[in-house]
Amino acid sequence: MKQFFLTLAGVFAGLVLFVILVPVALIGLAAAGSSSPTTAPGTVLELDLREGLTDQPPTNPFASFGGAQLSVLEVVDALDRAEDDRNVKAVLIRLPEMGMTPAAADEVRQAIRRFRAAGKPVIAHSQGFLPVGAVLSSYMVGAAASELWMQETSGFQATGFSADEIFLGDAFRRYGVTADFEQRYEYKNAVNVYTENDFTPAHREAMLSWMRSLYDQALAAAASDRRMPPAALTELIEGGPYPADRAAALKLIDKVGQVEEAEAEILRRAGNGAKLVPLREYVSGHGLQTGSGADAIAIVQAEGTIVTGRDSGGGFGSGTMIYSDDMAKAIYEAIANRAVKAIVVRVSSPGGSPDASEQILAAIRAARAAGKPVVISMGAYAASGGYWISSEASAIVAQPSTLTGSIGVFGGKFVLSEALGRFGVDIRALSVGGEYADAFSPVTRFDGTDRTAFATSIDRTYDQFISRVATGRNLPEARVREIARGRVWTGAQARELGLVDELGGLHEAIAQARALAEIEESASVRLIRYPAEKSPFEALSAAFGVSAEGARAMATVGTIMSDPEAQALITRARTEQLRARGGVVLADQPLR
């Protein structure tokens, strides 16, 4: 019976493969196999930032199902490629009404400036800047364009940066939930939302510090691109909000008009026959640049929360985890590749497991021991565990607005017995073994012995973190303890503190890797990405638990079965078989 159900499940999976996924896989393979796609003359790329950006492209070919977001690296790579593509004449940018991730805005702005330096125009169009979050980052990107347009009915309401925090301390106390945590130290504020009803002095100090840093950097960048003194732009910004026509009169924007008018203008500048092409199509048609040459630089992707283990690959999404087994394997593969002379690790992570972080850091140490420099390129954030894995790299490159540091540790549990008891739900705990066996039971708070043991483990992890930063950054341990304590810094602040070497994005990190590997500037270099993008067959294999060869075989069978001539041959064979058994067959029809 068990085998019957397994067979039934296999048949169902096969039908899904044949009817739905195989055609998609074959189309994907055909697209991947196409050689050297060309761009139509007079192409104007349209970059719509209203859809949001991830930091890195997915390695799963099915992640684009449902319209997955473009990544910062794809946008930057496409704009860099378009600089030298003589068929790409200009770019139109649709700006988000709300904020962008500041570090993503930094990297996109830098790519826009390089594109414009190639003599190609960029028009950015906005349907308003709302007073929400990091909206000045959106304005900063628009300010980097050749012209910044705004719709007539829209408002220029970008007057600063804002951030909100929801505190659950009073609610938890009211409903009988106890947040029992240890944190190292006062700036490690993640637990405050569960224990407090307002910002602690340290929490307020740290947040205002990095928010002010982001604000000042966005204003300085926008002022430079708008060719205004920073003080003058600051005064104008803080004097808002303004309607669109007033913003134009104050030189905060260049023109007032509908997006269709901006489209017509950028097409006019591109010349006769110009056509708008979504940047997503340009990315999918060309893929990421790989370059050429005997020497190679590995690009290792790492985005999301850091956890132990490996990605099972059971779904079609892009995933938001950094699995320590997978990332360490990618680094070791780059070490084993003789062509790879240096490794760039792109990190965008808020942190995660110290044990997973240490496994990844060990692989980075192994790369350096093998004579291969490792350069960290920090994305939106590389905090806590994200900084742990970065700490002993050969060099660290971060955007001015990357959130990094947070050299600290926290841990604990929620005690739920009282809260659930109010609804008639009782929790009872049993344990055998040592006293610490039930330390993380949600029934009671840590007792004296449990708390001592747990606090000791938190202290040990914090000391290990401090040691790795002191070693990797060549700083006295006492100095690291001063600037750690769980505090978050921007990339600009971190450089001043010695936690970051250079400001910039992946472009600058690759240049740093070339220099450390002593590759001549005139030499061509290949970029090899790890982990490699899965083929459609490998993605199907992971999703359905069959081998890649099996998925390929099923796809082949599915293709044959869908061929009309093959169907006719099968039908005739079945017909002759029935006739041989004495059956009366009136016509050679498909059996139903």
Side-chain angles (χ1 to χ4, degrees):
M1 183 62 70
K2 178 181 178 182
Q3 185 60 43
F4 170 76
F5 285 114
L6 288 173
T7 303
L8 189 63
V11 170
F12 177 77
L15 287 173
V16 173
L17 284 169
F18 290 154
V19 177
I20 301 174
L21 297 178
V22 166
V24 176
L26 294 173
I27 291 170
L29 284 176
S34 60
S35 59
S36 302
T38 57
T39 309
T43 291
V44 175
L45 298 179
E46 182 180 28
L47 170 58
D48 194 339
L49 294 173
R50 297 172 302 173
E51 301 171 359
L53 298 173
T54 62
D55 186 70
Q56 299 161 34
T59 58
N60 190 322
F62 297 111
S64 59
F65 278 9
Q69 296 171 314
L70 279 170
S71 69
V72 172
L73 296 191
E74 287 172 311
V75 169
V76 171
D77 186 86
L79 292 177
D80 286 349
R81 184 193 297 275
E83 286 178 48
D84 302 319
D85 189 336
R86 63 183 181 180
N87 288 328
V88 175
K89 303 299 183 183
V91 170
L92 174 69
I93 300 175
R94 303 294 304 278
L95 295 170
E97 297 166 60
M98 295 183 282
M100 288 179 64
T101 302
D106 276 338
E107 201 139 3
V108 172
R109 170 183 175 263
Q110 291 154 10
I112 291 169
R113 287 172 58 85
R114 291 193 295 270
F115 182 86
R116 286 188 59 194
K120 300 182 179 184
V122 178
I123 289 180
H125 186 275
S126 170
Q127 290 179 293
F129 296 103
L130 300 180
V132 180
V135 67
L136 275 177
S137 295
S138 301
Y139 176 64
M140 179 184 72
V141 170
S146 313
E147 289 184 4
L148 174 54
W149 293 44
M150 181 180 284
Q151 187 171 304
E152 180 183 6
T153 56
S154 303
F156 189 100
Q157 301 178 63
T159 59
F161 272 89
S162 66
D164 302 299
E165 196 78 85
I166 296 176
F167 291 94
L168 302 172
D170 282 349
F172 277 10
R173 283 185 283 273
R174 176 177 298 178
Y175 293 104
V177 176
T178 300
D180 201 6
F181 283 84
E182 292 281 335
Q183 62 196 95
R184 300 292 182 274
Y185 275 99
E186 70 272 22
Y187 295 106
K188 198 69 174 177
N189 299 313
V191 303
N192 290 5
V193 298
Y194 307 123
T195 60
E196 308 293 335
N197 62 7
D198 197 356
F199 294 102
T200 63
H203 195 169
R204 184 182 301 275
E205 176 192 354
M207 283 196 66
L208 287 175
S209 176
W210 62 253
M211 287 175 66
R212 169 58 65 177
S213 180
L214 295 180
Y215 179 63
D216 291 345
Q217 290 157 40
L219 284 175
S224 174
D225 291 335
R226 299 294 299 172
R227 298 183 180 178
M228 298 175 64
L233 180 61
T234 301
E235 184 177 354
L236 288 175
I237 290 288
E238 294 182 355
Y242 306 106
D245 58 351
R246 180 61 177 158
L250 294 172
K251 308 296 183 185
L252 290 169
I253 64 171
D254 296 293
K255 291 188 178 181
V256 176
Q258 294 291 335
V259 67
E260 290 79 10
E261 296 174 280
E263 289 175 359
E265 175 60 19
I266 198 69
L267 290 171
R268 182 191 68 79
R269 295 191 191 187
N272 293 334
K275 180 183 177 181
L276 276 177
V277 175
L279 188 131
R280 182 187 297 278
E281 290 185 14
Y282 189 74
V283 169
S284 61
H286 292 80
L288 295 173
Q289 296 186 77
T290 56
S292 60
D295 293 336
I297 293 176
I299 309 294
V300 178
Q301 294 186 190
E303 180 174 11
T305 303
I306 303 169
V307 296
T308 58
R310 59 174 61 91
D311 185 1
S312 64
F316 294 112
S318 58
T320 55
M321 298 286 188
I322 300 171
Y323 293 90
S324 60
D325 283 10
D326 293 340
M327 187 171 173
K329 178 183 177 184
I331 295 170
Y332 283 115
E333 287 177 352
I335 295 171
N337 188 336
R338 292 184 179 181
V340 171
K341 305 303 179 186
I343 300 171
V344 173
V345 179
R346 175 69 174 204
V347 179
S348 189
S349 171
S353 161
D355 297 309
S357 301
E358 179 66 13
Q359 181 182 357
I360 295 166
L361 180 58
I364 290 174
R365 290 194 196 106
R368 295 192 64 184
K372 301 192 177 187
V374 180
V375 178
I376 300 295
S377 171
M378 292 182 170
Y381 34 66
S384 196
Y387 194 81
W388 186 306
I389 67 177
S390 306
S391 60
E392 296 186 30
S394 309
I396 298 176
V397 179
Q399 290 293 355
S401 52
T402 295
L403 296 182
T404 189
S406 192
I407 302 166
V409 187
F410 75 91
K413 64 178 180 178
F414 292 103
V415 181
L416 304 174
S417 53
E418 180 183 346
L420 294 177
R422 297 179 183 184
F423 296 93
V425 178
D426 297 315
I427 306 178
R428 299 289 184 262
L430 293 173
S431 67
V432 296
E435 293 185 17
Y436 197 66
D438 63 348
F440 284 87
S441 167
V443 175
T444 60
R445 299 190 60 164
F446 292 113
D447 64 22
T449 303
D450 289 345
R451 183 170 299 281
T452 298
F454 179 57
T456 299
S457 71
I458 290 287
D459 287 334
R460 184 185 308 112
T461 302
Y462 182 67
D463 290 344
Q464 290 168 344
F465 201 166
I466 294 292
S467 173
R468 280 142 186 77
V469 175
T471 298
R473 302 306 303 165
N474 195 26
L475 291 169
E477 189 170 302
R479 174 58 178 158
V480 177
R481 290 186 182 278
E482 281 180 32
I483 60 181
R485 309 189 72 81
R487 183 159 179 170
V488 174
W489 308 96
T490 64
Q493 292 171 324
R495 185 179 64 167
E496 297 298 318
L497 295 168
L499 298 177
V500 162
D501 296 294
E502 182 183 348
L503 298 181
L506 184 65
H507 192 270
E508 289 72 22
I510 292 173
Q512 179 75 269
R514 285 181 65 116
L516 290 173
E518 299 181 350
I519 300 173
E520 294 183 6
E521 289 187 21
S522 59
S524 296
V525 174
R526 286 181 291 140
L527 301 180
I528 303 176
R529 287 175 165 79
Y530 294 90
E533 181 178 352
K534 295 177 182 176
S535 73
F537 291 124
E538 289 170 329
L540 291 175
S541 166
F544 289 94
V546 297
S547 69
E549 291 75 12
R552 187 176 287 104
M554 284 188 285
T556 303
V557 172
T559 306
I560 293 172
M561 292 294 292
S562 65
D563 183 82
E565 292 186 10
Q567 290 178 348
L569 285 172
I570 293 170
T571 300
R572 282 196 291 272
R574 294 294 301 276
T575 300
E576 293 305 319
Q577 184 182 47
L578 287 173
R579 283 174 174 158
R581 294 177 179 176
V584 178
V585 182
L586 300 179
D588 291 344
Q589 303 177 47
L591 299 176
R592 300 183 185 279

